Amino acid sequence: MNLFYIVEIMRERDYLGEFEHIIVLALLRLDDRAYGVTVRQEIELRTDREVSIGAVYATLDRLEKKGYVTSHRGDPTPERGGRSKRFFRITAEGAKAVSRTHRALQSMTEGLGFIRSHP
Amino acid sequence: MAVWLISLFSLTNEAESIQGDLLEEFSVLAAKSGAHSARGWYWRQTIKTLPRLAGFGFRTAPWITAAAVAGGYLLRKLVAPLVDTVTFAVIERYPVLFEHHFRAYLFFASTGLDIEHLITFLLIGFIVAFVARQREMVATIVLALIWAAFALSGSAYAVIRSGNDELLWRLAWYIADSFAIVVAGAIVRMHRLAVKPRPVA
């Protein structure tokens, strides 16, 4: 078994962390409107937890390093003091990772009826 | 101030997006809930964001950052005895001068020595920041914290052993030494930001 095959297998088994999972789902929801502000607001709106922009970027950068997300810069805008937006998009690898994680979570929660009775 | 802190801690390519995002949300919040509330939100975001940026900066280049910190620590160990040696060599070289100017002698042998150490720490901070490219603040803060921890424990030990609590005053100089390292990190970072062109969209 060669090294590249082992690395490939390890990558196949890589699950997303909790916050990574949430971020990737936010990217999927926002599609081509996903940048720092919208991602942060989407997470706050849906999870009801205050999220810092630093946490969003640290996670997005980590996901980009893993190849699950790509980013590109938009045009500078005046309401941002002439600074450009950095848009994020999920890659095919990222989509695979989110389904893998989702399947694992579904499988782990299957039959655990108490989750529904303990909000 | 908050914008400046973000630029100190973030990697060059992400500072622009983070500052832009914060400004965009700040403008919306200020129009909706007032400038005071928006400023509070901005500061909360900045304070929560800085450790994340520092952590991310370290994780993306752990070896070079750790090497800069370790190198700075060793350099300090190497240079510190030389400062004392050079100062006393100068004092001994001109005994007549210091006999006539006893106050100058006292200054050189006490406060002057402390100032020389402070300058040495500043110079070491410059070197550490120069090596830890884009992670200047992380590297210099870690080195400053290590030094401050040693100074605190050493001073506490000295006070307990000698029972002389006046030794605690020395702590002010030790803390100033640590602070000098961080100041050097900020100066190098600001200089690099000033000379680096903004990334092209």
Side-chain angles (χ1 to χ4, degrees):
Chain A
M1 198 182 288
N2 72 33
L3 184 66
F4 292 107
Y5 182 71
I6 294 169
V7 170
E8 192 57 37
I9 292 282
M10 284 172 76
R11 273 179 70 91
E12 283 288 312
R13 288 179 187 163
D14 188 15
Y15 296 115
L16 298 171
E18 186 223 3
F19 198 58
E20 287 178 339
H21 197 183
I22 289 174
I23 291 256
V24 170
L25 292 175
L27 294 191
L28 286 170
R29 287 189 166 276
L30 293 162
D31 198 24
D32 57 353
R33 292 176 296 115
Y35 69 101
V37 172
T38 52
V39 172
R40 205 190 73 74
Q41 286 176 345
E42 182 75 12
I43 295 170
E44 278 197 354
L45 188 78
R46 292 190 178 271
T47 64
D48 204 23
R49 86 189 211 196
E50 200 178 324
V51 179
S52 77
I53 197 77
V56 169
Y57 273 94
T59 310
L60 281 167
D61 282 327
R62 193 165 62 240
L63 287 168
E64 191 169 30
K65 227 175 152 200
K66 286 181 181 176
Y68 293 163
V69 157
T70 54
S71 70
H72 70 276
R73 288 196 177 276
D75 294 326
T77 55
E79 73 269 18
R80 296 168 60 86
R83 296 176 181 94
S84 59
K85 290 175 185 168
R86 187 171 160 205
F87 288 99
F88 293 89
R89 192 172 257 281
I90 186 165
T91 62
E93 275 300 308
K96 274 187 210 165
V98 76
S99 348
R100 206 159 47 229
T101 308
H102 217 68
R103 272 202 308 274
L105 284 174
Q106 265 182 340
S107 160
M108 289 304 292
T109 51
E110 214 170 62
L112 296 176
F114 77 91
I115 287 177
R116 276 187 290 276
S117 55
H118 290 79
Chain B
M1 174 88 175
V3 175
W4 177 68
L5 282 173
I6 295 274
S7 64
L8 282 188
F9 281 84
S10 51
L11 301 180
T12 312
N13 60 343
E14 65 184 9
E16 182 179 343
S17 341
I18 293 176
Q19 286 169 349
D21 286 350
L22 286 174
L23 187 64
E24 186 182 325
E25 281 205 76
F26 173 83
S27 312
V28 174
L29 265 174
K32 207 165 72 179
S33 334
H36 183 73
S37 159
R39 262 200 295 274
W41 173 86
Y42 200 110
W43 269 108
R44 268 201 317 280
Q45 281 288 324
T46 304
I47 289 163
K48 282 184 182 174
T49 292
L50 293 182
R52 296 280 186 169
L53 294 177
F56 180 72
F58 179 77
R59 280 196 302 277
T60 48
W63 292 111
I64 191 77
T65 315
V69 173
Y73 182 79
L74 292 175
L75 192 63
R76 169 67 190 135
K77 279 281 193 197
L78 203 74
V79 172
L82 294 178
V83 174
D84 297 3
T85 309
V86 169
T87 306
F88 285 108
V90 169
I91 291 171
E92 281 167 22
R93 177 84 175 77
Y94 305 102
V96 181
L97 175 83
F98 286 109
E99 269 171 29
H100 289 94
H101 299 90
F102 191 64
R103 281 183 171 209
Y105 168 78
L106 281 180
F107 177 79
F108 273 100
S110 57
T111 311
L113 208 55
D114 288 326
I115 292 170
E116 286 161 29
H117 278 286
L118 194 71
I119 293 167
T120 311
F121 269 102
L122 194 70
L123 293 175
I124 288 169
F126 281 133
I127 295 168
V128 169
F130 182 77
V131 173
R133 229 161 241 285
Q134 289 204 66
R135 283 98 187 154
E136 296 90 349
M137 295 311 292
V138 183
T140 50
I141 287 174
V142 169
L143 182 59
L145 287 175
I146 291 171
W147 201 258
F150 276 124
L152 268 170
S153 50
S155 300
Y157 179 73
V159 169
I160 290 165
R161 266 191 77 113
S162 67
N164 179 9
D165 55 7
E166 281 186 12
L167 286 173
L168 281 175
W169 283 106
R170 301 283 319 144
L171 258 181
W173 277 107
Y174 298 143
I175 301 297
D177 290 342
S178 293
F179 188 65
I181 300 175
V182 180
V183 168
I187 291 171
V188 173
R189 179 73 185 148
M190 280 160 62
H191 176 71
R192 279 190 173 141
L193 287 174
V195 295
K196 202 161 186 111
R198 283 175 66 173
V200 181

